[in-house]
Amino acid sequence: MRNHNDSQLLFDISKPGRRATRLPACDVPVKPVAELLPAASLAASTPELPELAEPQVVRHFTNLSTLNMSVDTHFYPLGSCTMKHNPKRNERAASLPGIVDLHPYQPEESIQGMLQLLYKVQEYLCEISGLPACSLQPAAGAHGELTALWVAHAYFKDNGQAHRTKVLVPDNAHGTNPASAAMAGFDTVTVKTLITGAVDMEDFRKKLDDNIAVFMITNPNTVGVFEPQIGEIAAEVHARGGLMYLDGANMNAILGISRPGDFGADMQHYNPHKTFSGPHGGGGPGAGPICVAEKLRPYLPAPVVAKRSASEGAEYYLDYSSTKSIGRVRSFFGNVGVLVRAYCYIRSHGPDGLRRVSEQAVLNANYLLSRVKHFLPVPQGERCMHEFVASAKKLKTERGVTAMDIAKRLLDFGYHAPTIYFPQTVPEALMCEPTETESKETLDAFAETLFRITEESPELLHEAPHTTAISRPDEVTAARQPTLCHCG
Ligand SMILES: *Cc1c(COP(=O)(O)O)cnc(C)c1O
């Protein structure tokens, strides 16, 4: 049981005059601020701040940290998000003084180690994707999508093909795909998928025409199915002069096994915070590096990290030379901290280790699927890649129990909920991605808990969770009109 006082605001326990530290009186003459700054720059009144002793502050924040779930405290089978264990050696490496003490305005000669690391990350990402050129700048997966679509836009414009305005997106795609297409100025056209999760080829062919710019596909897709017709789709898009974009959020299923560049992708983004174990609870920071085909290289954001022979100066440098570049999409070098963790992750696994990561991720997902499907049907069938989508539709019809009820009740048992109501093509969807870092014992216990929940009384489930500090907030209001301050 949690102590509900945990969620008290610091203001509630503030007492005038209470302090964590008292500094000795200053023994050098100081001028009053009013003499140093113009009156217009000064605040009219002193800000109201909570006044507290250090133990209260420490308890407050430590207690707050326990209100949330994290991969370090709980099993976190959030589908599509790859909440795997974040190896602690990555954290140690990312906090080495030689990395955290760098300043992005330092001269290139003094940051050769960092540039070399970033250059290597570019190389590894290219090798894993089977695409030859890379930009590390985008700051998140969605930003990578947008950047790649800008690259595509610049490519078509440069080649006299500005009439290409259509971006095709399957109806089970992540919401960021159509959003990125719209933000990049394209018209989004939705392509239907079948109950198996695969693209409906008839609908695809109906919508494919000479105005196609890009087909954005997630493969394996969001229902955990490797697109069976990916070869045909890519060939038909290419025959019409379009480009194939791979949403790489699900790379955890295919590392070292199949490469997007080999199955027809011209561009892809990575989510290093998912696939390469960057911690990403609470919304970031992430990264969204992109890899592209050779013909798209000139349009990549500048600078890219490049290498030259020692006789020409510092070996690694920032290359701004492409006149066709779409320009910067992010300050400095991108979210370097996440890229350092990705570097460590890739290097510590090596090629064979990365392949084992995906094999194990797929095995774990199939094991969990084989246990769950008996009480929560999985419309896409008997096999999956790294995740699967179960449906609570039957439970809802028969007993009024929804995916939301199940997700909320799982919190009482110490599990983070799966992703729910996504993709929308599966009614009452519960999308589970166990990842490779969970043990068989954890998967068994989770499956047993899920089963137990499906047997519980609807009344108990509608009111869940019962043991958390907050039970069922009004999620829409919480998201649209969050109360972020103590307003009396
Ligand atoms: C997570 C995800 C994205 C977006 O990535 P962010 O890094 O969260 O911006 C895009 N597509 C899919 C399928 C995803 O799972």
Side-chain angles (χ1 to χ4, degrees):
M1 284 290 171
R2 298 203 198 260
N3 177 356
H4 286 226
N5 290 337
D6 290 352
S7 55
Q8 267 188 331
L9 292 166
L10 284 178
F11 282 99
D12 298 335
I13 48 174
S14 169
K15 284 275 169 341
R18 213 161 256 176
R19 289 287 179 277
T21 313
R22 284 180 204 281
L23 298 174
C26 185
D27 60 358
V28 290
V30 273
K31 285 190 182 173
V33 257
E35 281 178 36
L36 298 168
L37 292 170
S41 311
L42 297 177
S45 59
T46 321
E48 208 189 308
L49 296 172
E51 298 177 67
L52 302 149
E54 183 167 312
Q56 293 177 294
V57 178
V58 170
R59 279 192 199 140
H60 175 77
F61 285 108
T62 307
N63 284 331
L64 273 187
S65 76
T66 66
L67 293 184
N68 224 337
M69 292 204 157
S70 70
V71 266
D72 283 356
T73 54
H74 298 90
F75 177 42
Y76 209 127
L78 193 65
S80 205
C81 287
T82 316
M83 302 299 289
K84 59 166 87 174
H85 172 66
N86 310 135
K88 298 308 160 206
R89 62 173 172 263
N90 298 356
E91 301 306 310
R92 278 205 295 280
S95 53
L96 287 172
I99 288 175
V100 288
D101 293 346
L102 292 182
H103 192 284
Y105 279 139
Q106 272 177 242
E108 268 166 26
E109 311 80 69
S110 72
I111 51 166
Q112 284 296 298
M114 175 54 82
L115 291 178
Q116 178 177 12
L117 182 147
L118 295 175
Y119 184 81
K120 292 275 175 201
V121 173
Q122 290 176 178
E123 281 191 330
Y124 300 148
L125 297 184
C126 287
E127 184 172 343
I128 296 167
S129 69
L131 290 164
C134 177
S135 166
L136 301 177
Q137 275 187 30
H143 194 203
E145 295 169 23
L146 180 62
T147 304
L149 289 169
W150 277 335
V151 165
H153 187 265
Y155 165 78
F156 287 129
K157 200 165 161 220
D158 195 30
N159 288 281
Q161 311 233 337
H163 66 276
R164 295 186 179 275
T165 53
K166 261 192 184 181
V167 169
L168 302 193
V169 183
D171 59 9
N172 59 10
H174 196 264
T176 52
N177 291 190
S180 299
M183 280 190 72
F186 291 104
D187 302 323
T188 308
V189 178
T190 306
V191 176
K192 285 189 201 140
T193 56
L194 306 170
I195 187 70
T196 60
V199 167
D200 178 339
M201 293 302 281
E202 202 179 310
D203 195 52
F204 160 64
R205 288 183 180 127
K206 226 187 287 168
K207 290 171 180 166
L208 179 67
D209 62 26
D210 293 333
N211 290 330
I212 179 160
V214 180
F215 190 108
M216 294 181 90
I217 195 162
T218 311
N219 192 30
N221 62 23
T222 58
V223 290
V225 170
F226 193 93
E227 174 57 55
Q229 316 247 44
I230 188 69
E232 287 91 324
I233 294 171
E236 291 179 33
V237 166
H238 289 149
R240 294 282 190 148
L243 296 171
M244 285 293 287
Y245 181 82
L246 179 98
D247 178 328
N250 294 341
M251 287 299 287
N252 213 47
I254 57 170
L255 294 172
I257 299 169
S258 77
R259 306 194 307 170
D262 297 341
F263 59 70
D266 302 294
M267 324 179 259
Q268 83 156 98
H269 80 258
Y270 282 92
N271 303 68
H273 44 295
K274 297 178 182 173
T275 315
F276 303 127
S277 81
H280 65 291
I290 56 170
C291 290
V292 300
E294 198 54 50
K295 64 185 174 193
L296 301 172
R297 183 196 292 271
Y299 309 93
L300 282 178
V304 288
V305 185
K307 187 179 176 182
R308 62 190 161 204
S309 73
S311 60
E312 297 170 87
E315 192 176 8
Y316 296 94
Y317 67 104
L318 295 174
D319 184 356
Y320 289 90
S321 65
S322 175
T323 54
K324 294 183 172 180
S325 164
I326 61 166
R328 264 195 185 285
V329 297
R330 172 72 166 75
S331 55
F332 305 121
F333 314 117
N335 279 346
V336 164
V338 187
L339 300 171
V340 171
R341 290 172 175 85
Y343 174 85
C344 285
Y345 187 83
I346 294 170
R347 287 302 302 258
S348 55
H349 282 85
D352 296 338
L354 288 180
R355 187 185 171 104
R356 274 201 302 280
V357 162
S358 287
E359 288 170 349
Q360 191 70 39
V362 172
L363 178 64
N364 274 4
N366 278 284
Y367 179 70
L368 192 58
L369 164 70
S370 74
R371 295 210 50 171
V372 167
K373 68 181 180 194
H374 303 295
F375 49 90
L376 284 173
V378 176
Q380 280 71 43
E382 296 296 300
R383 286 294 178 89
C384 65
M385 294 293 287
H386 62 302
E387 67 191 1
F388 62 88
V389 183
S391 170
K393 184 179 166 196
K394 189 156 166 273
L395 214 56
K396 186 178 176 192
T397 325
E398 289 172 5
R399 303 178 48 223
V401 171
T402 63
M404 176 70 89
D405 292 336
I406 297 171
K408 293 288 184 189
R409 183 64 175 146
L410 276 168
L411 303 176
D412 282 334
F413 292 98
Y415 295 106
H416 193 282
T419 299
I420 52 172
Y421 299 109
F422 171 71
Q424 289 168 350
T425 47
V426 179
E428 295 298 316
L430 290 143
M431 180 196 243
C432 295
E433 180 179 3
T435 82
E436 71 283 4
T437 57
E438 297 302 332
S439 64
K440 178 171 177 293
E441 294 75 29
T442 301
L443 302 183
D444 283 335
F446 178 72
E448 277 147 33
T449 305
L450 257 186
F451 174 66
R452 182 174 151 189
I453 290 173
T454 60
E455 302 267 280
E456 284 183 324
S457 87
E459 293 69 37
L460 181 77
L461 295 175
H462 296 326
E463 307 261 294
H466 301 276
T467 60
T468 52
I470 293 174
S471 182
R472 287 220 189 179
D474 174 344
E475 294 185 359
V476 176
T477 309
R480 299 267 157 84
Q481 296 156 20
T483 308
L484 299 175
C485 65
H486 177 74
C487 309

